[in-house]
Amino acid sequence: MASADKLINTYVPEKDVFALHFLQSLSNLRTQNPLNSPDKSIDRVRKIKKAAYVSMARAAGGTSRLWSRALLRRAAKDDNKSVRFSRRKRKVTWKISSKRKRSNQRAPVVEEAAERLRNLVPGGGGMETSKLMEETAHYIKCLSMQVKVMQCLVDGLSPK
Amino acid sequence: MSNRRSRQTSNASRISDDQMIDLVSKLRQFLPEIHERRRSDKVSASKVLQETCNYIRKLHREVDNLSDRLSQLLDSVDEDSPEAAVIRSLLM
């Protein structure tokens, strides 16, 4: 049990999983707001951006990664909904996170950089540095996948 | 399961500094080509973290730009154009 967790688990699903989730999100947006509704363009952009992040979090593993959970929780709070997590897991994670952070004993120069990273990765604030590395690696892979999907969509829709 | 494992540590941090360096070097794989001056392991670790921050910020900016373009494209699509047909077939 102890030696297995030395390797970071960075399994990321294929691009089409991300694409599918994103397209579903977009289609939900369109059914909520018919094309001719008086939405300001900045609201539309914001909704699409949010759909991108939420669909990425769902595609990447939903509630099984700390960053995706934090992202979904933040998004749900915006909508004033509550997200259902398995309660036992959530309680343990929160409790351990605060204890773990206090025992951080890395070199200060590393910790400084890690602190900046914590602000960028969703949910990073409660993570111990080693966990932060793992979550960051996964987050980066998923983000770049999401960017690729969006780029393909833009390229496909752009006038020739 | 990982939560149960970490509960076992009391005073020491969960992994040693060597393992930390190993994890950081694994993280380095996912970054695009970076310039590296291997003076000491601690220096290169913070350099990797700095590059990671920059990369994440860059990706966030790209998501912003692409969302913006997507919003324009999705709105300006003619009902009869081939693009509309593509969207319709993708979204149905």
Side-chain angles (χ1 to χ4, degrees):
Chain A
M1 196 158 81
S3 54
D5 57 335
K6 297 284 173 61
L7 305 160
I8 319 178
N9 168 31
T10 53
Y11 166 69
V12 166
E14 295 293 318
K15 187 166 149 193
D16 18 351
V17 178
F18 287 89
L20 189 65
H21 278 82
F22 186 44
L23 289 173
Q24 281 173 347
S25 276
L26 285 180
S27 118
N28 287 339
L29 281 182
R30 278 170 99 83
T31 53
Q32 282 171 21
N33 271 330
L35 270 175
N36 304 324
S37 84
D39 245 358
K40 281 199 230 90
S41 65
I42 192 159
D43 286 337
R44 274 197 297 264
V45 175
R46 213 179 286 143
K47 281 190 187 148
I48 292 185
K49 192 165 109 166
K50 184 166 170 185
Y53 280 107
V54 168
S55 68
M56 171 179 74
R58 289 217 192 100
T63 56
S64 64
R65 309 270 351 184
L66 290 175
W67 68 262
S68 60
R69 281 153 79 147
L71 218 164
L72 290 172
R73 202 180 297 140
R74 197 192 300 165
K77 213 172 11 158
D78 284 346
D79 297 339
N80 290 322
K81 292 199 207 111
S82 65
V83 192
R84 248 182 270 120
F85 293 127
S86 95
R87 287 195 63 199
R88 185 177 64 100
K89 207 171 177 186
R90 186 184 179 189
K91 210 161 152 197
V92 172
T93 305
W94 195 86
K95 210 164 157 198
I96 298 294
S97 297
S98 50
K99 259 196 215 160
R100 250 191 257 153
K101 211 175 172 198
R102 264 181 256 136
S103 71
N104 259 333
Q105 289 165 18
R106 309 287 174 206
V109 64
V110 172
E111 265 312 309
E112 246 179 77
E115 205 48 45
R116 262 174 271 140
L117 198 54
R118 280 204 179 86
N119 290 332
L120 287 170
V121 174
M127 290 182 210
E128 202 228 5
T129 312
S130 56
K131 187 68 176 168
L132 181 67
M133 296 298 135
E134 192 180 321
E135 292 287 310
T136 306
H138 195 257
Y139 183 56
I140 288 182
K141 281 173 92 167
C142 295
L143 250 188
S144 62
M145 195 68 89
Q146 180 69 25
V147 164
K148 278 194 206 120
V149 164
M150 290 172 82
Q151 184 68 57
C152 283
L153 203 54
V154 164
D155 289 341
L157 288 174
S158 295
K160 307 292 175 244
Chain B
M1 255 251 230
S2 62
N3 299 321
R4 213 185 317 138
R5 274 201 289 268
S6 42
R7 218 192 290 164
Q8 290 168 7
T9 58
S10 45
N11 298 318
S13 44
R14 188 156 72 101
I15 61 174
S16 70
D17 280 336
D18 287 336
Q19 289 166 335
M20 173 69 174
I21 291 171
D22 187 57
L23 271 180
V24 167
S25 65
K26 286 203 176 77
L27 187 59
R28 197 181 290 146
Q29 298 169 28
F30 303 126
L31 300 175
E33 194 65 40
I34 57 173
H35 307 296
E36 201 184 312
R37 289 169 303 140
R38 292 202 113 244
R39 242 189 290 148
S40 86
D41 280 328
K42 296 232 168 66
V43 169
S44 78
S46 76
K47 180 82 173 173
V48 167
L49 292 177
Q50 180 63 45
E51 290 295 325
T52 312
C53 288
N54 294 340
Y55 187 47
I56 293 183
R57 276 191 215 114
K58 169 170 168 265
L59 287 174
H60 284 169
R61 271 198 306 264
E62 280 192 40
V63 171
D64 285 348
N65 291 340
L66 289 170
S67 301
D68 198 42
R69 287 176 65 187
L70 259 183
S71 153
Q72 291 168 5
L73 284 170
L74 286 172
D75 289 325
S76 65
V77 162
D78 277 336
E79 281 305 309
D80 294 329
S81 69
E83 283 91 11
V86 168
I87 302 180
R88 256 180 254 126
S89 66
L90 284 173
L91 293 176
M92 289 322 160

